[in-house]
Amino acid sequence: MAASLQMTRRIRRTPYTRRVEQAGVKDFTVVNHMLLPKSFQHTPEEDYWHLRNHVQLWDVSTQRQVQLEGPDAIRLAQWMTPRDLRPLKTGQCMYAPLVDENGGMVNDPVILRLADEKLWMSIADSDVLLWGKGLAAGSNFDVKVTEPDVSPLAVQGPQAGAVLSKVFGPSVTEIGFFRFKWFEFEGTNQLVARSGYSKQGGFEIYLNGSHLGERLWDAIWNAGEPYKIRAGCPNLAERIEAGLLSYGNEFTLENNPLECGLAQYCSLDNDIDSLAADALRTITEEGVERLMRGVLFDPPSDTHIAQPWPVLAGERQVGQVTSGTRSPRLERHVGLSMIDRGFWRAGQKVRVLDPNGCMHHGEISELPFK
Ligand code: THG
């Protein structure tokens, strides 16, 4: 048996962890120094179909908020991302790569505009708080960079609107995709956005106030009972099919956003004052050496991929599958891999090497998978 992780104060619990344990969590991972549930009693395949057909409650507190507040909040945020933030109005969200001066990916948060001079960056797994504080201090920008007591709880799946209507009233369903509104909960004002790390539709409640965590969990749980609500977590097969990337798995500081397939979120407009602007213009001129793609292949069993599996074209290694699992819908393995130039065309035949030394036939696919 593999050794287990010993819990300490550095591995932060969330406002919902007790409820997650009561719901029968089987294992966790650590993201942003905080627990993220990875599985419950059901198989990943059962959870996949349940998410697509019903509704799930996910503790995604690890999506920490980095708050930028002050007259230079937008200026600092625009330094951190090459995505043009001018269209981001109060009440809206934007997915945006954070990129350093060499073109390296620092993170890929959802950015929320709370007010003229206040933003949240809802981050993936890296220490954006420290990078932001360093940039703010070094630049003398008039902005405070903090981590507020905000812990997102996601409600995902086709019945999410029906469930949350019972908790916040029917007007939650009027929130547009990547928009948010404020709702009363236990005498407090809470931000509810239509977003989430799945393509099955749903909402994220950015709970401000850890002490309210179990009351919020219970309110949604009780409202969801007639809809077969289950505790869940981001589903690996579903997110890979959808082409949703995971920082630290698919890409790191070593990768630029263009090879990650995030060119649509990078503006090369000269008016955008981002740290990455010069580096990204150079990479654009030279063209990328590799590109994020899907790989469809056939291992015999339902093997979860914990370490990268090499991808070969002929005898040459052209990439590595960094996340992969069996897709219940496509009935094959789906994986994400950066693939070398010359080999990333959809339909390109490849072989994938597993840790036991077995080769599996496959081919390159567009993202999202069809
Ligand atoms: N929700 C929130 N914070 C997060 C995530 C989340 N932080 C970490 C991680 N997930 C960031 N990754 C993604 C990746 C894709 C999307 C959201 C977060 C996403 N993208 C839209 C799409 O693909 O359709 C694009 C939206 C846009 O055009 O701006 O939803 O899940 N709070």
Side-chain angles (χ1 to χ4, degrees):
M1 203 191 89
S4 64
L5 266 182
Q6 202 173 89
M7 299 298 173
T8 68
R9 188 170 177 227
R10 286 179 287 103
I11 301 177
R12 299 181 284 180
R13 291 169 66 85
T14 87
Y16 318 110
T17 301
R18 264 200 339 166
R19 288 292 186 263
V20 162
E21 288 166 343
Q22 287 160 353
V25 67
K26 278 207 314 215
D27 35 37
F28 290 104
T29 189
V30 178
V31 172
N32 287 322
H33 319 282
M34 185 174 256
L35 292 174
L36 173 67
K38 285 297 277 183
S39 69
F40 290 81
Q41 305 100 318
H42 301 278
T43 65
E45 168 147 7
E46 285 167 334
D47 278 334
Y48 172 94
W49 292 118
H50 181 268
L51 170 63
R52 293 182 64 111
N53 294 320
H54 304 288
V55 56
Q56 296 184 352
L57 189 52
W58 297 356
D59 175 1
V60 286
S61 301
T62 54
Q63 296 168 3
R64 302 313 293 164
Q65 306 310 300
V66 175
Q67 175 172 300
L68 277 50
E69 187 171 25
D72 291 326
I74 298 291
R75 217 171 136 204
L76 176 59
Q78 189 64 83
W79 253 28
M80 296 165 80
T81 179
R83 183 159 184 184
D84 183 357
L85 294 180
R86 286 172 298 188
L88 181 64
K89 304 284 180 259
T90 298
Q92 298 182 353
C93 314
M94 244 188 204
Y95 175 57
L98 302 186
V99 186
D100 76 4
E101 65 284 3
N102 302 314
M105 289 285 303
V106 173
N107 204 287
D108 66 330
V110 175
I111 304 182
L112 296 85
R113 185 157 194 175
L114 303 200
D116 280 355
E117 299 187 348
K118 185 173 179 184
L119 296 172
W120 283 350
M121 294 183 166
S122 182
I123 60 172
D125 190 21
S126 73
D127 296 310
V128 174
L129 178 67
L130 304 182
W131 188 53
K133 283 171 73 72
L135 290 173
S139 64
N140 281 317
F141 279 7
D142 187 358
V143 55
K144 273 208 177 66
V145 183
T146 57
E147 182 181 304
D149 175 19
V150 171
S151 297
L153 186 59
V155 184
Q156 299 286 300
Q159 299 302 328
V163 173
L164 281 195
S165 293
K166 288 169 66 184
V167 178
F168 297 113
S171 61
V172 282
T173 60
E174 290 160 16
I175 304 171
F177 181 65
F178 263 53
R179 305 283 165 119
F180 64 81
K181 291 200 166 109
W182 297 89
F183 291 86
E184 194 273 336
F185 181 74
E186 303 265 347
T188 64
N189 248 342
Q190 301 293 346
L191 188 161
V192 181
R194 191 181 288 249
S195 54
Y197 203 50
S198 87
K199 284 281 160 104
Q200 304 312 313
F203 299 82
E204 295 179 300
I205 303 123
Y206 287 70
L207 180 68
N208 183 191
S210 289
H211 63 287
L212 293 171
E214 294 185 358
R215 267 178 276 175
L216 178 63
W217 178 283
D218 293 343
I220 298 171
W221 191 261
N222 294 333
E225 233 157 6
Y227 298 93
K228 302 186 163 63
I229 198 164
R230 278 190 197 164
C233 51
N235 185 275
L236 189 59
E238 198 274 344
R239 79 131 175 115
I240 293 172
E241 284 174 13
L244 295 172
L245 310 180
S246 163
Y247 188 81
N249 286 314
E250 273 67 72
F251 57 99
T252 70
L253 199 54
E254 303 301 312
N255 299 113
N256 68 63
L258 307 175
E259 64 192 8
C260 295
L262 301 177
Q264 58 185 310
Y265 305 118
C266 298
S267 168
L268 299 175
D269 183 335
N270 283 316
D271 292 350
I272 309 270
D273 195 11
S274 107
L275 290 173
D278 289 342
L280 294 185
R281 271 192 278 271
T282 304
I283 297 165
T284 303
E285 275 165 28
E286 292 172 356
V288 294
E289 293 299 319
R290 48 198 178 172
L291 191 62
M292 186 67 65
R293 304 301 270 160
V295 186
L296 265 174
F297 60 109
D298 306 303
S301 59
D302 182 2
T303 321
H304 164 76
I305 295 174
Q307 293 298 322
W309 289 16
V311 178
L312 294 96
E315 296 308 310
R316 172 184 161 154
Q317 183 173 349
V318 296
Q320 54 175 357
V321 174
T322 46
S323 291
T325 194
R326 188 180 157 78
S327 159
R329 183 169 63 84
L330 301 171
E331 299 184 330
R332 297 183 76 185
H333 260 54
V334 288
L336 296 169
S337 173
M338 285 209 203
I339 300 290
D340 289 351
R341 196 210 308 250
F343 300 92
W344 67 47
R345 171 184 56 81
Q348 164 78 45
K349 298 287 178 216
V350 292
R351 292 179 304 157
V352 181
L353 178 63
D354 76 23
N356 301 319
C358 297
M359 287 284 193
H360 308 287
H361 289 284
E363 71 255 358
I364 301 299
S365 158
E366 305 280 350
L367 290 176
F369 286 86
K370 294 264 150 52

